[in-house]
Amino acid sequence: MRIIKIEGTDDTPQVTLDANPENPFMEISGRSLPEDVVAFYDPILEWLDEYAENPLEKTVLNIKLEYFNTASSKLLLDILLKLEDLSEADNDVLVRWHYPDDDEDMEEAGEEYEDIVEVPFEQVSYSID
Amino acid sequence: MAESEKNKAKLHFAYDFYKIMKDSDVTFAYEGEITHEITKAFSSLAESHIALTNESNALQKRVFHVMVESLQNISKHSAERKDEKSMFAGQGIFMVTKDDQEYNITTGNVVLNESIPALKEHIEKINSGNKKTLKELYKKKIKSGKLSEKGGAGLGFIDMVRKTGEKLIYTFLDLNDKKTYFVLTSTIFRTK
């Protein structure tokens, strides 16, 4: 399956979607406040649709955002809902929500998504110095 | 003679303007078109400026959050646009004041009179909420809400109140029978 690799900028996150069975890696990291959120996230949602047709044995998505605006929060939910579908179709799915250890708001945002979607979540704190 | 009087007035105006800004603790003020580029520039300017202060990381992030949402509100919702078709650029004022206690982030923009009742109802609902009900409202909105064609999620005000823990202060000033000037302030206490 094709690989998505988008470099991060000051207003868009770095995105890696690589479902290579040897060494799969899926991550969205950095900042998200794109001018046009739909245009930015559409290819990611499309990729997830394609991926869902033939998913790996285990799907792990890392979300490691330091900031996202409210418009992005809606699109992040759309991504998580795709994973929910995958999980409900009896696939092994895990979302790893990374947050800076001093950022309660980002930790809480992860907890809220965990409440909203039916997908196993793992909260991972990291320190920035 | 008249010319030099005029020049003098111009110079005095600059000084008066400076005094008003100082007296009102204005640290930043802008009037004009708010584009995405400007939103990015202002918020990163504030971010690097505030990083030099002793403010906590949490406070720095909250100021950044409120700034971005406020600026995007103007660019997405201002009824005054250079180009009617421009989806992401609207006219407005953007102002930051700061004193010992708090930061205030204020926006002002033109809205159509017909949009006022819904806007008022939306803000009042958020202002009457508490931490718990706002969390529920946020969850409900993010699940059920549709993105507008400009990519608005209808979550900006809720997020501002949740992040700051303070109600939104706002007013509507009559312009004419079609349009009203909408002013909104969000306060971030430095001690919280």
Side-chain angles (χ1 to χ4, degrees):
Chain A
M1 183 170 179
R2 70 197 167 90
I3 294 167
I4 288 192
K5 198 152 177 59
I6 304 168
E7 287 300 321
T9 67
D10 57 356
D11 63 346
T12 54
Q14 177 172 326
V15 181
T16 307
L17 296 171
D18 182 352
N20 155 17
E22 307 292 298
N23 195 14
F25 188 62
M26 301 181 194
E27 185 177 78
I28 301 173
S29 64
R31 291 178 167 222
S32 183
L33 57 147
E35 176 165 38
D36 187 342
V37 272
V38 175
F40 183 82
Y41 281 99
D42 250 358
I44 296 167
L45 294 165
E46 263 174 42
W47 188 93
L48 286 167
D49 282 338
E50 279 174 45
Y51 172 78
E53 287 168 17
N54 189 16
L56 296 170
E57 212 165 286
K58 186 170 173 68
T59 303
V60 180
L61 173 67
N62 290 283
I63 300 181
K64 193 175 183 178
L65 290 166
E66 53 182 83
Y67 169 80
F68 55 92
N69 66 351
T70 56
S72 302
S73 71
K74 176 74 185 150
L75 272 301
L76 283 177
L77 178 65
D78 291 344
I79 290 173
L80 295 172
L81 289 171
K82 300 262 182 218
L83 296 182
E84 181 182 84
D85 291 343
L86 202 60
S87 172
E88 280 171 353
D90 280 333
N91 291 289
D92 188 359
V93 180
L94 177 68
V95 174
R96 289 171 60 98
W97 183 269
H98 303 257
Y99 62 93
D101 55 10
D102 65 347
D103 192 342
E104 276 174 44
D105 292 344
M106 196 53 90
E107 183 180 2
E108 199 180 342
E111 288 165 4
E112 281 171 12
Y113 279 123
E114 187 175 1
D115 285 349
I116 296 171
V117 292
E118 299 285 325
V119 176
F121 251 74
E122 193 179 299
Q123 296 268 358
V124 189
S125 77
Y126 64 94
S127 65
I128 29 173
D129 20 49
Chain B
M1 190 65 190
E3 197 54 33
S4 84
E5 283 299 314
K6 207 173 146 191
N7 284 341
K8 208 170 153 191
K10 275 185 201 164
L11 299 175
H12 275 265
F13 174 75
Y15 181 67
D16 291 343
F17 191 63
Y18 159 79
K19 269 202 306 194
I20 289 173
M21 284 183 69
K22 276 283 167 206
D23 292 347
S24 333
D25 299 308
V26 175
T27 59
F28 189 90
Y30 171 88
E31 194 280 326
E33 190 172 45
I34 310 260
T35 60
H36 183 63
E37 290 309 315
I38 283 178
T39 296
K40 280 200 297 183
F42 288 0
S43 34
S44 65
L45 191 68
E47 191 180 34
S48 50
H49 177 77
I50 198 172
L52 301 172
T53 65
N54 291 324
E55 310 290 10
S56 69
N57 281 347
L59 185 120
Q60 295 188 26
K61 284 207 165 185
R62 282 171 192 160
V63 171
F64 186 79
H65 258 276
V66 174
M67 281 190 68
V68 173
E69 296 298 330
S70 302
L71 288 161
Q72 292 189 328
N73 279 342
I74 302 175
S75 57
K76 286 174 184 165
H77 301 297
S78 171
E80 198 183 358
R81 296 174 175 273
K82 261 194 197 151
D83 171 2
E84 284 302 315
K85 275 176 274 173
S86 130
M87 297 228 293
F88 304 111
Q91 300 275 129
I93 60 161
F94 176 76
M95 209 165 75
V96 180
T97 65
K98 177 193 169 185
D99 65 20
D100 298 342
Q101 313 288 319
E102 64 199 46
Y103 286 87
N104 286 290
I105 293 166
T106 298
T107 54
N109 59 271
V110 175
V111 293
L112 297 178
N113 290 352
E114 66 211 44
S115 61
I116 295 174
L119 185 55
K120 225 179 204 165
E121 193 191 334
H122 183 53
I123 298 175
E124 282 306 321
K125 189 172 179 185
I126 294 162
N127 273 352
S128 64
N130 57 36
K131 209 170 172 340
K132 195 164 164 259
T133 56
L134 286 174
K135 188 183 178 119
E136 289 314 311
L137 186 63
Y138 180 84
K139 282 193 199 166
K140 197 178 129 197
K141 271 249 168 193
I142 195 175
K143 269 194 284 189
S144 64
K146 278 247 178 296
L147 278 187
S148 71
E149 67 167 330
K150 291 170 190 170
L155 297 167
F157 290 157
I158 305 176
D159 188 59
M160 282 156 74
V161 172
R162 291 189 71 202
K163 288 273 170 6
T164 63
E166 294 301 316
K167 294 186 193 324
L168 299 167
I169 305 163
Y170 68 100
T171 191
F172 292 100
L173 304 162
D174 288 344
L175 292 176
N176 55 44
D177 61 352
K178 288 205 172 57
K179 289 173 176 177
T180 294
Y181 207 74
F182 168 54
V183 185
L184 179 93
T185 294
S186 179
T187 303
I188 302 144
F189 278 96
R190 298 174 67 188
T191 45
K192 278 188 185 169

